[in-house]
């Protein structure tokens, strides 16, 4: 597999990642049937990724116009969505009186890292004209998204196995 194929795969993942979060949310809601930190995290991930996926084409067209303000819109929009997702993640936990799980904290950290990459890339590209963050941005965003989906899936499997152990232990008593 050459680099152009890897590029194509990495940048076509946005819709797949949104669908993955949405399907995971439905599965968790079918099996858990209650509000939990995991459900809240999946709701925020689904909404944030859905917003980014749906806004990308419009933002791309808008940002392709000449002028720094148009370019700023691209980076700032995604950074803003990421930070809004962090706020909503913790706000929903607070409002629904749920303790924040490890996966929720990790998700918050991923959103902050994504917003930081957006911000650093804009500063690097348009303020300093340095292109230092070009490759980090190019592969960092999709890589973080892939890692995040993997962490969520692994956490879901772990949580499911843990709940199965509790059910077995409870039936033995």
């Amino acid at each position: 597999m050459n680099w152009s194929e890897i590029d194509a795969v990495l940048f076509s993942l946005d819709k797949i990642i949104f669908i993955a979060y949405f399907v995971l949310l439905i599965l968790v809601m079918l099996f858990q049937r209650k509000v939990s930190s995991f459900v809240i995290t999946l709701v925020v991930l689904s909404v944030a990724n859905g917003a980014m996926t749906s806004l990308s084409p419009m933002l791309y067209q808008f940002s392709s116009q000449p002028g720094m303000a148009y370019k700023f819109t691209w980076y700032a929009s995604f950074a803003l969505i990421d930070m809004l997702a962090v706020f909503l993640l913790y706000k929903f936990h607070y409002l629904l009186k749920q303790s924040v799980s490890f996966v929720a904290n990790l998700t918050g950290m991923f959103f902050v890292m994504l917003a930081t990459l957006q911000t650093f890339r804009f500063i690097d590209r348009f303020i300093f004209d340095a292109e230092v963050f070009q490759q980090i941005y190019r592969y960092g965003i999709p890589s973080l998204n892939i890692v995040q989906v993997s962490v969520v899936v692994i956490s879901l499997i772990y949580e499911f196995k843990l709940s199965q152990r509790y059910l077995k232990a409870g039936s033995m008593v």
Side-chain angles (χ1 to χ4, degrees), residues 6-25:
I6 292 171
D7 277 348
V9 168
L10 286 176
F11 295 109
S12 66
L13 287 176
D14 56 345
K15 291 178 186 94
I16 294 168
I17 288 172
F18 167 69
I19 291 168
Y21 286 135
F22 193 72
V23 168
L24 284 172
L25 175 63

Side-chain angles (χ1 to χ4, degrees), residues 118-161:
Q118 295 289 350
T119 304
F120 282 175
R121 178 61 179 139
F122 175 78
I123 292 168
D124 171 57
R125 187 172 183 190
F126 295 104
I127 306 298
F128 295 125
D129 195 24
E131 299 297 327
V132 172
F133 277 89
Q134 180 182 8
Q135 295 303 318
I136 295 170
Y137 179 80
R138 184 176 197 173
Y139 297 109
I141 301 282
S143 298
L144 281 171
N145 284 323
I146 291 168
V147 168
Q148 189 173 19
V149 168
S150 302
V151 165
V152 168
V153 169
I154 291 167
S155 297
L156 178 62
I157 292 168
Y158 176 76
E159 210 173 274
F160 179 73
K161 286 188 176 204

Side-chain angles (χ1 to χ4, degrees), residues 55-156:
L55 288 174
S56 287
M58 181 189 67
L59 287 172
Y60 184 76
Q61 277 187 332
F62 188 75
S63 67
S64 64
Q65 298 177 42
M68 189 185 304
Y70 296 107
K71 309 305 187 236
F72 176 77
T73 303
W74 172 267
Y75 295 100
S77 295
F78 290 114
L80 182 65
I81 291 169
D82 288 329
M83 294 314 296
L84 183 60
V86 171
F87 171 77
L88 291 175
L89 181 68
Y90 293 105
K91 186 68 172 180
F92 288 155
H93 276 85
Y94 175 77
L95 290 174
L96 297 170
K97 296 176 178 42
Q98 294 292 313
S99 58
V100 180
S101 66
F102 172 76
V103 74
N105 279 323
L106 204 54
T107 298
M109 183 184 73
F110 276 112
F111 279 127
V112 170
M113 290 186 332
L114 290 167
T116 302
L117 272 175
Q118 295 289 350
T119 304
F120 282 175
R121 178 61 179 139
F122 175 78
I123 292 168
D124 171 57
R125 187 172 183 190
F126 295 104
I127 306 298
F128 295 125
D129 195 24
E131 299 297 327
V132 172
F133 277 89
Q134 180 182 8
Q135 295 303 318
I136 295 170
Y137 179 80
R138 184 176 197 173
Y139 297 109
I141 301 282
S143 298
L144 281 171
N145 284 323
I146 291 168
V147 168
Q148 189 173 19
V149 168
S150 302
V151 165
V152 168
V153 169
I154 291 167
S155 297
L156 178 62

